[in-house]
Amino acid sequence: MLAFVNGPTIGKVTAETTPPTTEPQPREPAAVEPAAAERPRKRQARGERRIAQLLDAAGHVFAESGYAATTTNAIAARAGVSPGSLYQYFPNKDAIAAALAEFYADSLDELLAPFAVVDPAAVTLEEALRVSLGPIVRFHRENPACLALFIGGNAPGHVMDLQAPLMARTHARIAALLALYAPDLPPTRLETGAAVTLAAYKGVLPLLVEADEDQVPALTRELGNLLLGYFGRLLQP
Amino acid sequence: MLAFVNGPTIGKVTAETTPPTTEPQPREPAAVEPAAAERPRKRQARGERRIAQLLDAAGHVFAESGYAATTTNAIAARAGVSPGSLYQYFPNKDAIAAALAEFYADSLDELLAPFAVVDPAAVTLEEALRVSLGPIVRFHRENPACLALFIGGNAPGHVMDLQAPLMARTHARIAALLALYAPDLPPTRLETGAAVTLAAYKGVLPLLVEADEDQVPALTRELGNLLLGYFGRLLQP
DNA sequence: GGAGATTACGAGTGATTGCTCGCATTCGTC
DNA sequence: GACGAATGCGAGCAATCACTCGTAATCTCC
């Protein structure tokens, strides 16, 4: 189900999601192995599998109930594991959501990357959208917890730490794309336009995630139409 | 602040928001009293004022923290009232949200009503939107808890009971409007189009609620552009 | 096969929170 | 002013839930 259960991402899942308590020291070294504090904690294959099970279960439960209503015991039960085992791999509930969110943010960055290298002379906006929207939609349908954590506003601190920059990057990407295809647009309007585009896009995604499979192509096309229609209006009057 | 603190709506606030648990069988006839159950419970002016205070406070706290993270004690404290007093007027936390939601749903129904009587021969879609969007935006900015309860997905049962029909009515209104201005649109596409329109609209509203006051006119105009651009695309190809 | 680490368990703990209860105060009405 | 009803209080109850701890099974590597 969850595509990421096997992958290099998993390795650093528990690396340093710990501190809800602030750490006065250099607050960066997620995977850096800073000085001497963190023992590498050799993980057995069984442990890696458990982490994957737990994250997969968490994805399902978060998607069904949202972050706040999800209990750690429910995640453990769904993964077929005792609560104590869950806390062997994650320091707290936040860390579970943060591990998922990190994977989601990385995946979305990758899925949105194509927009950065579009050549307006060779490719129309319509073509670029038609190509890129499909995979994005598929990703969200395969990982519904992504919307549950990122869109459903009141996420915990560590998730917001990932979501806010992701949104900022996406906004910047849209703004850059707009600037490329509409060089004459005043900067103020470009910013506003990017914000509205992003908001509308985020609004329609839940529709696509909840829809029946056979409606997805039509809905994806309509999402493209929505964005293209707005872009058209941004250029003309 | 909250416009509804004085109004006829308040009267039935506590009328029957009680049962979260479904009662299929006459499980315990102790409290049955079927016909003559409801004593009118004469309310003093002081009580009405307290209800208004409590709902106003609840609106603020819900908007700030969302439903789940809001504690009844926080609402009571913000209203300058003890927890016990709160529970004199509302049977439980759900009922507070439901009372707010009922007012919100009624208000939105009223604000969306103009779309039902539009004459496509006399008024363009653009004009209709320009006129109606302003008040809707203003309402949401004055009542941010409306979005917090209705958009932020995981609301309690009684709120959903009001939200789902409201969304259905809004969807139907959009579909009717589309059918009016685009009589040739196939029914399937019309439904999809209405759903996408509603989703995009819901997506952009939070942007308008959080924006600075001076950006509101421009953003409102862009929301109109978004919808009009999509409508244009629905008609042409 | 044995030492040491990792994995697994699940009842229990402490904090939070929705909500209650007994009692005091104020209001409306005569 | 007196009586009942409505209002008001806030300590405390009961349930939930994130998280811990002591202990036992299982793995890795020699």
Side-chain angles (χ1 to χ4, degrees):
Chain A
M1 192 60 97
L2 246 42
F4 69 97
V5 292
N6 307 317
T9 326
I10 286 303
K12 63 178 187 178
V13 148
T14 50
E16 241 319 77
T17 26
T18 318
T21 54
T22 51
E23 213 172 298
Q25 304 300 332
R27 191 171 162 19
E28 237 283 76
V32 179
E33 287 296 333
E38 299 297 325
R39 207 202 329 259
R41 179 65 166 271
K42 225 171 50 179
R43 192 139 271 156
Q44 301 181 354
R46 193 171 28 143
E48 304 277 355
R49 241 177 293 132
R50 275 275 181 269
I51 292 177
Q53 284 174 31
L54 284 165
L55 286 176
D56 184 79
H60 283 97
V61 183
F62 282 143
E64 282 164 17
S65 315
Y67 177 79
T70 294
T71 73
T72 54
N73 285 8
I75 296 175
R78 174 126 196 183
V81 159
S82 83
S85 294
L86 183 152
Y87 281 94
Q88 175 142 20
Y89 299 105
F90 298 97
N92 51 48
K93 186 180 168 184
D94 272 31
I96 306 173
L100 277 175
E102 185 177 342
F103 167 75
Y104 293 151
D106 290 347
S107 303
L108 286 177
D109 263 331
E110 212 167 310
L111 285 168
L112 291 165
F115 288 114
V117 294
V118 164
D119 173 14
V123 184
T124 67
L125 261 180
E126 178 148 8
E127 291 163 346
L129 278 183
R130 295 273 178 257
V131 169
S132 299
L133 242 38
I136 295 175
V137 167
R138 193 169 341 119
F139 172 80
H140 279 290
R141 287 179 64 85
E142 283 167 4
N143 301 279
C146 180
L147 284 185
L149 287 177
F150 282 162
I151 305 273
N154 25 24
H158 278 270
V159 173
M160 288 297 286
D161 291 349
L162 295 164
Q163 186 228 24
L166 171 66
M167 289 307 157
R169 286 195 300 275
T170 309
H171 176 100
R173 244 192 260 273
I174 296 174
L177 198 70
L178 275 177
L180 221 56
Y181 282 86
D184 299 337
L185 211 59
T188 319
R189 185 127 192 261
L190 187 133
E191 284 301 312
T192 311
V196 169
T197 304
L198 178 54
Y201 161 79
K202 289 200 298 183
V204 176
L205 278 181
L207 208 63
L208 273 150
V209 169
E210 290 155 22
D212 288 336
E213 183 66 41
D214 57 344
Q215 296 217 322
V216 170
L219 274 171
T220 307
R221 232 175 302 127
E222 295 299 343
L223 173 56
N225 281 331
L226 176 75
L227 302 180
L228 288 169
Y230 181 54
F231 289 158
R233 280 230 148 210
L234 270 180
L235 306 192
Q236 277 157 12
Chain B
M1 191 60 99
L2 247 41
F4 69 97
V5 292
N6 307 317
T9 327
I10 286 303
K12 61 181 187 175
V13 147
T14 50
E16 242 318 78
T17 26
T18 317
T21 54
T22 50
E23 230 168 82
Q25 303 287 343
R27 195 175 127 60
E28 236 270 274
V32 171
E33 298 263 290
E38 299 299 325
R39 207 204 328 259
R41 179 64 166 268
K42 225 172 44 181
R43 190 138 273 155
Q44 300 180 355
R46 196 172 25 145
E48 305 276 356
R49 240 177 294 132
R50 275 276 181 267
I51 292 178
Q53 282 175 33
L54 285 164
L55 286 176
D56 184 78
H60 282 98
V61 184
F62 281 142
E64 281 165 18
S65 314
Y67 177 79
T70 294
T71 73
T72 54
N73 285 7
I75 296 175
R78 174 126 195 183
V81 158
S82 85
S85 293
L86 184 153
Y87 281 94
Q88 174 143 17
Y89 299 105
F90 297 96
N92 51 49
K93 186 180 167 184
D94 272 32
I96 305 173
L100 276 175
E102 186 177 340
F103 167 74
Y104 293 151
D106 289 347
S107 303
L108 286 177
D109 263 331
E110 211 166 312
L111 285 168
L112 292 165
F115 289 113
V117 293
V118 165
D119 174 13
V123 184
T124 68
L125 261 180
E126 178 148 6
E127 291 163 347
L129 278 183
R130 295 272 178 257
V131 169
S132 300
L133 242 39
I136 295 175
V137 167
R138 193 167 342 118
F139 172 81
H140 279 291
R141 286 179 64 86
E142 283 167 4
N143 301 279
C146 180
L147 284 186
L149 288 177
F150 281 161
I151 305 272
N154 25 22
H158 278 271
V159 173
M160 287 296 286
D161 291 350
L162 294 164
Q163 186 226 24
L166 171 66
M167 288 307 157
R169 286 196 299 275
T170 309
H171 176 100
R173 244 191 260 271
I174 296 174
L177 198 70
L178 276 176
L180 221 56
Y181 281 86
D184 299 337
L185 211 60
T188 319
R189 185 124 193 263
L190 187 134
E191 284 302 311
T192 311
V196 169
T197 304
L198 178 54
Y201 161 79
K202 288 200 297 184
V204 175
L205 278 182
L207 209 63
L208 275 150
V209 169
E210 289 155 22
D212 288 337
E213 183 66 41
D214 57 343
Q215 295 217 323
V216 171
L219 274 171
T220 308
R221 231 174 302 126
E222 295 298 344
L223 173 56
N225 281 332
L226 176 75
L227 302 180
L228 287 169
Y230 181 53
F231 289 159
R233 281 228 147 211
L234 270 179
L235 307 192
Q236 279 158 11

